[in-house]
Amino acid sequence: MAQWTSAVGAAQLARLLTSQQERPAVPGARRPPAYRVLADGIRLLVLEGRVPVAARLPAERELALALSVSRTTVAAAFEALRTEGFLESRRGAGSWTAVPAGNPLPARGLEPLPPEALGSVIDLGCASLPAPEPWLTRAVQGALEDLPPYAHTHGDYPAGLPALRAMIAERYTALGIPTMPEQVMVTTGAMGAMDAICHLFAGRGERIAVESPSYANILQLMREAGARLVPVAMDDGLAGWDLDRWRQVLRESAPRLAYVVADFHNPTGALADEDRRRRLVESARSAGTVLVVDETMRDLTLDPDLELPRPVCGFDPAGSTVVTVGSASKAFWAGMRIGWVRAAPDVIRSLVAARAYADLGTPVLEQLAVSWLFSTGGWEQAVEMRCAQARENRDALVGALRRELPDWEFEVPHGGLTLWVRTGGLSGSRLAEAGERVGLRVPSGPRFGVDGAFEGYVRLPFTVGGAVADEAAARLAAAARIVRAGGGLGSEAPRTFVA
């Protein structure tokens, strides 16, 4: 019986491998043989999770044709991967990817490091900050005081606690967007909201238009739901969406859903202006596409004099086109797994009905904690603290990068938690692998793209500051040296950072 659980086609694997091509090597440097380049490329795809473990690879002849190389080259690459433990084969069943014994399975998303690893590794994979104390403790204490009446009930509130739904509705109304509690559903984080939306609107095989690049974990969620992702390139710099491309994709592909981040886009930090918001809503309405807008970064305005545009749902007064997703995780704390959906009442009713077969509801105590923050002004004070910390971290990281890696290119965003960095022609995948060896975890650009795009980028979050930011940039420069030198194992020894 075959031990593979999925398959990757020759054309798809060729696209992923082609995306890893770097600029010409330093003159005089020895170029590895073709089979070694191919084996390393497949190994990187497995280590990054972009090709799953236990995925059946194409036959040698088929892959050779797709890559325009000899079958001997592919056979030698497969044999090298088998020797290293990254490939298993069986006569009549083909070859499938694996990881060597004792190696952890590669993550396909951006999971945070376990706490025990944080002493020796600087984690730039997860764009989350520690809790803003004392506000977390105060919110939990306030929630405990408000808990007794709810403890006498069954505790299941599929749409969310009525008081919290009303507060979220009031916050939109205060922005000039009249909203009723019936237009709000509380979810278990923004990921829970997106999972519910995808299952309601986009069945297996449906097209979903996504920004390119986009948030890696949402892209993976959509892939695993069976969606067909249609990438739409972002405009240059921090301008946001390219409306001509969006019109073309909406017109020609007719996607059921479109997913966008209008406010401090993850990963680029772009902020869409009001004109782009209005025009995108109009284009989505004309195409019959439901526009899902992720607002999880909206409160993280780092430059105080910046005036935010109206939320995208403000340009959809009938509520027929835009579904909005919000969350406490980025603006407050990732451990506060409270998100919400704002949509037309009939959409909310459908989401609530479908939820009965998923998680039934969101924890009451956490909902009460967020209600306490909203009702006491604690939310605004906690977010102000969070923005000050992120601003300081952003400035420290930007300064350190400019000192250590002056040829790398980026634009400094006015908000959010992420910096999107062009790596001077180096492979982001190879930088991520080399970073692991020097005690730095950094996600490569292709995690945020479709079919291997953005190999020349990495995403750096504003999660470290001061001396840690300096050390992170130094380790990133060490990883770059490894990649430029050809990436030999053991080129740099991991260093331990003591705060």
Side-chain angles (χ1 to χ4, degrees):
M1 179 178 177
Q3 297 183 15
W4 50 272
T5 57
S6 62
V8 56
Q12 179 188 7
L13 185 56
R15 287 196 302 272
L16 291 169
L17 290 165
T18 302
S19 75
Q20 295 177 340
Q21 299 301 315
E22 304 171 40
R23 292 179 185 176
V26 177
R30 291 185 59 187
R31 179 173 177 81
Y35 85 89
R36 185 69 259 175
V37 173
L38 176 56
D40 285 347
I42 294 174
R43 178 174 56 84
L44 275 174
L45 293 173
V46 173
L47 287 172
E48 283 208 318
R50 290 194 284 139
V51 168
V53 174
R56 187 179 187 274
L57 296 187
E60 293 174 2
R61 186 186 304 277
E62 186 182 1
L63 184 57
L65 287 172
L67 293 172
S68 298
V69 299
S70 71
R71 184 177 176 182
T72 303
T73 296
V74 177
F78 279 16
E79 181 58 34
L81 289 168
R82 278 189 287 268
T83 300
E84 295 163 6
F86 286 95
L87 196 69
E88 295 181 10
S89 303
R90 182 173 299 164
R91 185 178 297 278
S95 299
W96 56 92
T97 56
V99 292
N103 279 35
L105 288 175
R108 303 202 74 191
L110 301 178
E111 294 82 359
L113 280 177
E116 61 269 19
L118 296 179
S120 58
V121 178
I122 298 176
D123 184 9
L124 295 183
C126 186
S128 298
L129 290 164
E133 289 288 26
W135 296 107
L136 174 62
T137 298
R138 292 181 183 176
V140 173
Q141 290 171 341
L144 288 171
E145 293 174 2
D146 294 336
L147 181 61
Y150 296 93
H152 295 292
T153 73
H154 49 64
D156 288 333
Y157 296 87
L161 296 183
L164 181 55
R165 296 175 71 195
M167 290 179 193
I168 293 170
E170 288 171 5
R171 294 177 70 83
Y172 282 104
T173 300
L175 293 172
I177 306 166
T179 303
M180 303 178 295
E182 292 79 10
Q183 291 178 260
V184 175
M185 180 178 84
V186 180
T187 62
T188 307
M191 291 294 288
M194 285 302 305
D195 183 61
I197 292 166
C198 287
H199 279 90
L200 178 63
F201 286 104
R204 184 166 294 275
E206 291 274 9
R207 294 185 181 92
I208 301 179
V210 296
E211 298 154 321
S212 184
S214 186
Y215 179 39
N217 286 345
I218 295 293
L219 294 180
Q220 192 57 34
L221 182 154
M222 292 173 176
R223 291 188 187 102
E224 293 181 359
R228 298 161 61 190
L229 302 185
V230 183
V232 186
M234 297 285 285
D235 212 343
D236 293 334
L238 299 178
W241 306 314
D242 184 324
L243 267 299
D244 290 337
R245 288 172 175 163
W246 268 105
R247 286 196 196 95
Q248 181 180 2
V249 166
L250 293 173
R251 182 176 62 250
E252 296 178 358
S253 297
R256 184 72 182 92
L257 280 183
Y259 168 77
V260 298
V261 184
D263 304 290
F264 311 125
H265 176 259
N266 186 356
T268 68
L271 177 66
D273 59 32
E274 290 206 358
D275 184 56
R276 279 183 169 85
R277 295 171 190 235
R278 180 183 296 105
R279 290 159 60 198
L280 184 58
V281 170
E282 291 170 353
S283 297
R285 185 183 297 118
S286 297
T289 297
V290 175
L291 184 62
V292 182
V293 181
D294 185 335
E295 289 188 342
T296 54
M297 294 283 193
R298 181 172 174 85
D299 283 343
L300 293 171
T301 302
L302 305 188
D303 295 333
D305 57 344
L306 181 69
E307 184 175 347
L308 282 179
R310 295 181 70 203
V312 177
C313 58
F315 301 97
D316 180 36
S320 60
T321 300
V322 176
V323 174
T324 302
V325 173
S327 172
S329 296
K330 296 298 185 185
F332 186 75
W333 184 47
M336 188 70 76
R337 305 305 305 158
I338 297 295
W340 53 86
V341 178
R342 181 202 180 274
D346 61 320
V347 172
I348 295 298
R349 286 192 294 271
S350 297
L351 289 170
V352 171
R355 190 175 196 177
Y357 306 101
D359 64 353
L360 292 178
T362 302
V364 170
L365 191 63
E366 292 185 19
Q367 293 188 71
L368 289 173
V370 174
S371 297
W372 185 91
L373 289 166
F374 284 162
S375 64
T376 63
W379 177 268
E380 285 73 21
Q381 295 183 64
V383 168
E384 183 178 353
M385 180 185 298
R386 165 70 75 240
C387 288
Q389 183 182 9
R391 185 186 311 116
E392 183 178 329
N393 289 354
R394 177 196 65 180
D395 296 344
L397 183 61
V398 165
L401 285 173
R402 285 174 172 163
R403 287 193 304 272
E404 296 285 347
L405 294 155
D407 60 324
W408 287 20
E409 303 170 36
F410 53 85
E411 291 196 42
V412 182
H414 300 293
L417 287 172
T418 58
L419 195 67
W420 186 238
V421 182
R422 190 190 298 267
T423 58
L426 299 180
S427 161
S429 299
R430 297 183 189 280
L431 282 166
E433 183 193 31
E436 297 282 352
R437 297 183 230 154
V438 298
L440 178 72
R441 184 169 181 259
V442 56
S444 66
R447 285 185 176 271
F448 304 89
V450 177
D451 280 344
F454 306 108
E455 187 62 61
Y457 290 82
V458 293
R459 188 197 74 170
L460 304 178
F462 312 141
T463 52
V464 297
V468 186
D470 292 338
E471 179 67 12
R475 295 188 188 190
L476 197 51
R481 289 194 292 273
I482 293 175
V483 174
R484 290 192 188 100
L489 287 170
S491 302
E492 297 264 355
R495 297 186 289 174
T496 300
F497 177 78
V498 180

